[in-house]
Amino acid sequence: MFNLRQGSSYTTPNMHPATAKWYDRRDFVFIEFCVADSKDVKINFDKTKCGFSCVGGTDNVKHENEIDLFEAIDENESKHKRTDRSVLIYLRKAQPGKAWPRLTKEKAKLSWLSVDFNNWKDWEDDSEEEGGQFDQFSDMMNNMGCDEDLPDLDGADDDESADSDDEKIPDLE
């Protein structure tokens, strides 16, 4: 069914890989396929692969991705959620607690795949917070919609930071 191979540039006519972002957590991996107004979404979970296809946008572009995963997943516990702007995939790790340094088995750089740095977190030394992570994911999936809050940029709008070099520096004693 899926013919776009990881690391390959082969696609069928009128078939394009969907742009995707991913991030790692202790027990699961998230992949967000950024396709607005997706229709006919098909997700295939295999122990070592994840397949995605859909028709998206007003021009009905056909998207198809197949990923040879870095490690095995529990395909029965993996899920997905479609919104108006994207399709979020939750891959349950077969070996929880093992970090994935990349999403794919091969080290090849894929032009359509990037790391979601807004959600990335170094969790390897953080054992207490992950306990309720599955419940948080379930809540997030149930509440996910079009109106997502933007992350707080910690004072990025402050005008003072742009002119900080204009302040007088005190004399050295």
Side-chain angles (χ1 to χ4, degrees):
M1 174 179 179
F2 296 103
N3 53 19
L4 178 61
R5 291 303 215 174
Q6 185 271 326
S8 169
S9 60
Y10 173 74
T11 58
T12 57
N14 302 324
M15 192 74 65
H16 304 281
T19 301
K21 305 184 283 190
W22 80 283
Y23 61 99
D24 183 37
R25 289 291 192 263
R26 183 174 305 283
D27 297 330
F28 36 82
V29 172
F30 288 100
I31 308 170
E32 182 179 14
F33 288 97
C34 305
V35 179
D37 301 321
S38 59
K39 301 179 278 286
D40 302 326
V41 174
K42 293 182 180 81
I43 310 290
N44 284 352
F45 297 117
D46 191 347
K47 191 149 192 79
T48 59
K49 292 184 182 195
C50 176
F52 170 80
S53 69
C54 74
V55 175
T58 55
D59 50 356
N60 291 321
V61 174
K62 295 179 183 177
H63 297 281
E64 188 174 297
N65 302 64
E66 184 174 291
I67 304 167
D68 292 321
L69 299 169
F70 178 75
E71 290 281 337
I73 61 167
D74 181 345
E75 62 268 30
N76 297 320
E77 292 294 319
S78 297
K79 302 174 180 8
H80 75 278
K81 172 86 174 178
R82 183 199 153 302
T83 68
D84 290 340
R85 293 189 285 181
S86 64
V87 177
L88 182 65
I89 294 180
Y90 154 80
L91 302 173
R92 183 77 167 178
K93 292 179 179 179
Q95 295 180 353
K98 185 174 181 184
W100 288 22
R102 62 183 178 276
L103 179 63
T104 61
K105 186 174 198 156
E106 302 296 322
K107 287 187 177 182
K109 172 72 174 141
L110 303 174
S111 62
W112 53 267
L113 181 64
S114 63
V115 173
D116 186 349
F117 288 108
N118 289 333
N119 289 306
W120 190 269
K121 178 182 169 186
D122 287 333
W123 52 263
E124 291 172 309
D125 298 328
D126 187 17
S127 59
E128 293 180 17
E129 185 179 327
E130 294 296 324
Q133 203 58 276
F134 183 77
D135 294 332
Q136 290 175 2
F137 172 77
S138 297
D139 292 342
M140 181 181 70
M141 293 296 275
N142 291 332
N143 296 326
M144 189 184 294
C146 297
D147 299 324
E148 298 176 36
D149 292 331
L150 294 175
D152 183 16
L153 299 178
D154 294 329
D157 293 331
D158 293 346
D159 289 332
E160 293 178 36
S161 63
D163 296 328
S164 64
D165 60 340
D166 293 344
E167 296 176 15
K168 184 173 176 155
I169 299 173
D171 294 331
L172 295 176
E173 293 180 17

